[in-house]
């Protein structure tokens, strides 16, 4: 008991983390091939990490494990959280997954209610503020189907922020959007991140997007999913998707990704 | 010099981004062009069925005028109207309507309770579901009038028989509607609910119940149609003085009296009640539900 506590404290002292994965493995069903194999990953508070990999390599699986929606087959997933409260991860999906029976504002309010904000007036005010953060203050009473894809994802982002989680997990949140809208949302997200000190794990199969957003880009291999390579990105934000440095990095990462995928052809 | 000009033309990034986003939002949101409500309701919803009914009455009247059949076989709309108004009390139509509608409503209400409990347990317990679902589908396709003789042998000509037939007609629809509703909950909603922190009762109240609602309401709507249909079949066959009046019994009486005009009149009453209750209760709820979720064009 005392021993583990000491070890924990030591690790904490060495490297504070918002999320720490140690030897995480996930196998679906009995005796199947592992989808994820021996993932070690530590994400610092306030860090923006992009998780990159081909379709089907296990990116969504990994986020679901971190969010606690599925159990890991083995290994350790720690979200230390702040103070005595255990950590919590908010998960944002590719489709907005907003509840269609609620208005935009009510969707955000529900997240606040389930977080434990009791007073109705307080929920309303906070939801209005969060929608304002994603510049949708005027869409409070709009139904989900009245919003465009990009606007839905911004409401979903506001809803995730309402959870006040220690980590924001984003599962290809902009994959279904057109390039112009995606560009705008990148800008929006980076701005929110730099203003609020969020910790973000952003999953994508789009190399350029990863290079545009991440402070760190982690390349996952496929079958089994392992961490193949990692880049620290020193290009300062705000970046633009057409910046030469971003393009350079994109080229480098793409080369690695292609190598990784080609291995499966033989 | 030239470079400087170009520099000046590039707007400040923050402002550019804000106006770009505002432009996208405006372009991607459908322009609203709402007609006044009375035009939408009257012209689109009320007028077409009214016209259809008028056309039907006209065709009926023309057929009668053409005298393709004698009047006692095919009475005209005016004959039916006269018969209904003059013999309304002889046939105890008011009491019959009251009794039938209250039987229908009571039978439906019991079916809703039983069907809901049944549906919820079946949807949640896989083996129970595998066992019962085929039986339910079978029951739904069985005309419930087939139960009337059995009901009479069990209970005699009593309310027991009538309610048995109504319940066996309506419960499968309510149950199946609910099971379908539960099946059609997109798994992503339950995952989002869990991630937001909805467990147990909270999950049921904020996620499962609203997600199930459209399937459930359409099951209720169909359940009502089956209730009413089964009730009429039962009343038509199970005629007895101590059962009291009923629309079905009135129809049987008209048949015994060879009163064709009254039979037509009662047929219209049965139709109007069935359609009326649907139009007054179920259709508006269903329409509102679907429209608020963008599942139908408003
Ligand atoms: N619930 C599940 N049961 C069985 N296999 C699954 C399940 N979820 C995902 N998989 C498999 O795990 C692999 C990784 O899936 P996923 O994490 O969705 O990939 P990605 O998000 O990187 O595209 C895929 O081969 C997929 O078929
Ligand atoms: Mg995925």
């Amino acid at each position: 008991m005392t021993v583990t506590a000491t070890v924990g404290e030591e690790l904490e002292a060495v490297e504070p983390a918002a999320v720490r994965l140690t030897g995480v493995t996930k196998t679906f069903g009995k005796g199947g091939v592992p989808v994820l194999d021996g993932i070690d990953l530590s994400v610092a508070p306030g860090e923006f990490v992009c998780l990159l990999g081909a379709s089907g390599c296990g990116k969504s699986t990994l986020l679901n494990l971190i969010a606690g929606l599925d159990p890991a087959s083995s290994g350790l997933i720690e979200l230390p959280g702040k103070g005595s409260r255990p950590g919590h991860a908010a998960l944002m999906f590719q489709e907005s997954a907003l509840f269609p029976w609620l208005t935009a504002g009510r969707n955000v309010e529900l997240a606040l209610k389930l977080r434990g904000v009791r007073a109705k007036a307080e929920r309303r005010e906070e939801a209005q503020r969060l929608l304002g953060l994603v510049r949708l203050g005027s869409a409070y009473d709009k139904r989900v189907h009245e919003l465009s894809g990009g606007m839905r994802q911004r409401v979903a982002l506001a809803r995730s922020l309402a959870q006040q989680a220690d980590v924001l997990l984003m599962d290809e949140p902009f994959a279904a959007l057109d390039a112009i809208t995606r560009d705008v949302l990148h800008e929006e997200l980076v701005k929110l991140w730099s203003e609020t000190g969020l910790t973000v794990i952003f999953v994508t199969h789009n190399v350029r997007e990863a290079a545009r957003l991440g402070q760190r880009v982690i390349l996952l291999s496929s079958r089994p999913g392992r961490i193949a390579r990692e880049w620290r990105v020193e290009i300062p934000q705000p970046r633009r998707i057409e910046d030469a440095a971003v393009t350079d990095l994109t080229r480098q990462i793409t080369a690695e990704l292609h190598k990784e995928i080609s291995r499966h052809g033989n | 010099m030239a470079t400087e000009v170009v520099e000046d033309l590039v707007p400040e990034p923050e402002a550019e981004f804000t106006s770009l986003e505002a432009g996208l939002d405006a372009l991607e949101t459908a322009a609203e062009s709402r007609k006044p409500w009375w035009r939408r309701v009257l012209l689109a919803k009320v007028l077409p069925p009214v016209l259809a009914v008028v056309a039907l009455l006209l065709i009926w009247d023309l057929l009668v005028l053409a005298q393709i059949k004698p009047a006692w076989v095919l009475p005209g709309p005016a004959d039916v109207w006269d018969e209904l108004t003059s013999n309304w009390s002889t046939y105890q139509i008011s009491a019959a309507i009251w009794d039938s509608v209250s039987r229908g409503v009571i039978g439906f209400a019991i079916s809703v309770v039983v069907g809901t409990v049944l549906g919820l347990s079946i949807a949640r317990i896989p083996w129970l579901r595998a066992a019962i679902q085929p039986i339910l589908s079978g029951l739904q396709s069985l005309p419930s009038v087939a139960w009337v003789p059995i009901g009479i042998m069990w209970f005699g000509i009593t309310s027991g028989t009538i309610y048995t037939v109504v319940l066996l007609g309506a419960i499968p629809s309510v149950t199946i509607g609910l099971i379908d509703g539960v099946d059609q909950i997109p798994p992503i909603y339950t995952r989002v609910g869990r991630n937001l922190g909805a467990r147990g009762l909270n999950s049921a109240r904020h996620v499962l119940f609203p997600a199930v609602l459209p399937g459930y309401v359409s099951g209720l709507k169909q359940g009502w149609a089956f209730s009413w249909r089964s009730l009429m079949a039962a009343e038509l066959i199970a005629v007895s003085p101590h059962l009291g009046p009923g629309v079905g019994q009135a129809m049987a009486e008209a048949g015994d009296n060879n009163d064709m005009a009254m039979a037509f009149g009662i047929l219209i009453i049965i139709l109007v009640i069935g359609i009326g209750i649907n139009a007054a209760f179920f259709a508006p709820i269903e329409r509102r539900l679907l429209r608020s979720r963008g599942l139908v064009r408003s």
Side-chain angles (χ1 to χ4, degrees):
Chain A
M1 183 71 195
T2 13
V3 178
T4 31
T6 327
V7 171
E9 274 159 27
E10 266 172 22
L11 278 175
E12 204 75 54
V14 172
E15 187 189 3
V19 186
R20 190 181 297 117
L21 310 187
T22 324
V24 169
T25 299
K26 177 70 183 178
T27 311
F28 287 106
K30 284 204 187 88
V33 246
V35 171
L36 295 170
D37 187 25
I39 304 280
D40 295 310
L41 172 66
S42 174
V43 179
E47 200 181 6
F48 198 127
V49 173
C50 285
L51 211 58
L52 183 70
S55 281
C57 75
K59 305 182 294 293
S60 299
T61 305
L62 186 58
L63 287 197
N64 286 332
L65 295 184
I66 299 175
L69 290 176
D70 287 319
S73 304
S74 66
L76 199 60
I77 300 174
E78 295 165 287
L79 287 106
K82 298 181 199 87
S84 57
R85 203 170 57 95
H88 171 67
L91 179 55
M92 192 179 146
F93 297 85
Q94 175 174 345
E95 325 97 90
S96 73
L98 296 172
F99 295 133
W101 52 86
L102 299 175
T103 60
R106 292 282 179 166
N107 265 285
V108 181
E109 276 188 48
L110 179 58
L112 294 168
K113 183 170 193 172
L114 293 170
R115 194 187 87 199
V117 181
R118 289 275 164 74
K120 214 174 147 96
E122 190 186 337
R123 286 203 298 265
R124 195 176 164 97
E125 200 176 310
E126 178 67 359
Q128 187 70 61
R129 186 186 72 82
L130 289 165
L131 282 179
L133 274 185
V134 293
R135 297 163 208 270
L136 282 176
S138 58
Y140 197 97
D141 291 318
K142 284 261 194 292
R143 292 278 172 180
V144 172
H145 68 97
E146 295 172 308
L147 303 173
S148 71
M151 292 161 94
R152 284 179 206 176
Q153 287 307 66
R154 276 147 68 201
V155 176
L157 183 56
R159 181 171 71 175
S160 301
L161 294 177
Q163 294 179 253
Q164 284 195 341
D166 304 281
V167 196
L168 175 57
L169 309 173
M170 306 180 82
D171 193 356
E172 310 201 23
F174 307 144
L177 304 177
D178 65 272
I180 303 171
T181 306
R182 198 184 309 143
D183 217 21
V184 169
L185 287 192
H186 286 159
E187 191 126 7
E188 183 100 65
L189 178 60
V190 168
K191 189 164 165 290
L192 271 175
W193 167 71
S194 57
E195 284 169 4
T196 55
L198 276 172
T199 310
V200 181
I201 303 181
F202 187 104
V203 155
T204 178
H205 61 254
N206 180 335
V207 182
R208 193 174 270 275
E209 184 170 53
R212 159 77 179 81
L213 293 172
Q215 288 181 304
R216 189 143 63 103
V217 176
I218 293 172
L219 179 64
L220 277 187
S221 64
S222 304
R223 268 182 263 155
R226 293 196 178 115
I227 293 183
R229 261 205 73 171
E230 200 178 307
W231 289 264
R232 284 215 167 266
V233 185
E234 307 288 356
I235 314 164
Q237 294 282 13
R239 305 169 195 160
R240 293 190 152 240
I241 199 129
E242 64 275 8
D243 283 347
V246 171
T247 308
D248 261 4
L249 180 62
T250 305
R251 201 171 295 137
Q252 264 185 59
I253 301 176
T254 306
E256 284 298 319
L257 178 61
H258 285 182
K259 255 190 255 167
E260 195 46 56
I261 295 172
S262 306
R263 283 195 311 120
H264 293 273
N266 313 323
Chain B
M1 182 64 188
T3 344
E4 248 180 51
V5 174
V6 171
E7 288 276 294
D8 281 346
L9 279 178
V10 175
E12 202 220 325
E14 170 80 22
E16 182 202 349
F17 155 63
T18 309
S19 58
L20 180 59
E21 189 166 52
L24 279 174
D25 288 355
L27 283 176
E28 286 178 346
T29 317
E32 286 181 49
S33 65
R34 290 186 85 76
K35 295 179 196 146
W37 71 269
W38 59 269
R39 278 191 61 186
R40 272 183 294 134
V41 173
L42 284 185
L43 291 184
K45 297 271 147 54
V46 177
L47 200 58
V50 168
L51 283 180
V53 168
V54 170
L56 215 62
L57 286 174
L58 271 178
I59 295 171
W60 179 11
D61 214 27
L62 282 177
L63 289 178
V64 174
L65 282 178
Q67 293 190 323
I68 50 167
K69 293 276 182 200
W72 62 271
V73 177
L74 182 63
D79 304 328
V80 171
W81 178 255
D82 285 346
E83 176 67 16
L84 265 183
T85 44
S86 56
N87 279 332
W88 187 269
S89 52
T90 325
Y91 279 89
Q92 291 181 285
I93 304 284
S94 299
I97 292 177
W98 173 252
D99 274 28
S100 289
V101 169
S102 45
R103 277 185 203 130
V105 170
I106 292 170
F108 175 66
I110 300 172
S111 307
V112 170
V113 174
V114 176
T116 304
V117 172
L118 209 58
L120 283 180
S121 4
I122 292 177
R124 299 189 58 129
I125 306 171
W127 63 266
L128 193 62
R129 177 196 176 123
I132 295 186
Q133 206 167 19
I135 302 178
L136 276 176
S137 309
L139 267 183
Q140 204 184 18
S141 61
L142 179 78
S144 57
V145 63
W147 288 103
V148 175
I150 297 173
I152 291 177
M153 287 186 269
W154 279 343
F155 305 111
I157 300 183
T158 59
S159 315
T161 302
I162 304 252
Y163 284 124
T164 305
V165 175
V166 171
L167 294 192
L168 284 167
I171 290 173
S173 294
V174 176
T175 311
I176 288 175
L178 187 52
I179 296 175
D180 283 350
V182 172
D183 278 352
Q184 284 160 12
I185 300 178
I188 195 165
Y189 290 162
T190 28
R191 296 175 82 81
V192 170
R194 272 174 65 198
N195 188 244
L196 293 179
R199 307 259 138 65
L201 215 58
N202 264 338
S203 168
R205 179 170 154 218
H206 293 297
V207 184
L208 300 182
F209 176 71
V212 159
L213 213 50
Y216 186 51
V217 169
S218 78
L220 292 185
K221 183 176 142 174
Q222 213 189 15
W224 164 253
F226 274 88
S227 291
W228 185 241
R229 209 190 280 190
S230 313
L231 177 68
M232 288 304 107
E235 284 187 352
L236 204 53
I237 300 175
V239 183
S240 154
H242 56 257
L243 205 57
V247 177
Q249 280 93 346
M251 176 66 108
E253 200 182 331
D256 291 342
N257 297 344
N258 249 332
D259 187 347
M260 186 60 86
M262 186 47 99
F264 265 89
I266 293 172
L267 194 77
I268 291 171
I269 290 175
I270 295 176
L271 263 176
V272 167
I273 294 175
I275 295 171
I277 289 192
N278 183 46
F281 297 105
F282 299 104
I285 295 177
E286 194 174 37
R287 203 169 334 117
R288 262 187 66 172
L289 215 59
L290 295 182
R291 191 189 303 158
S292 73
R293 297 171 188 212
L295 297 172
V296 289
R297 295 177 53 116
S298 45

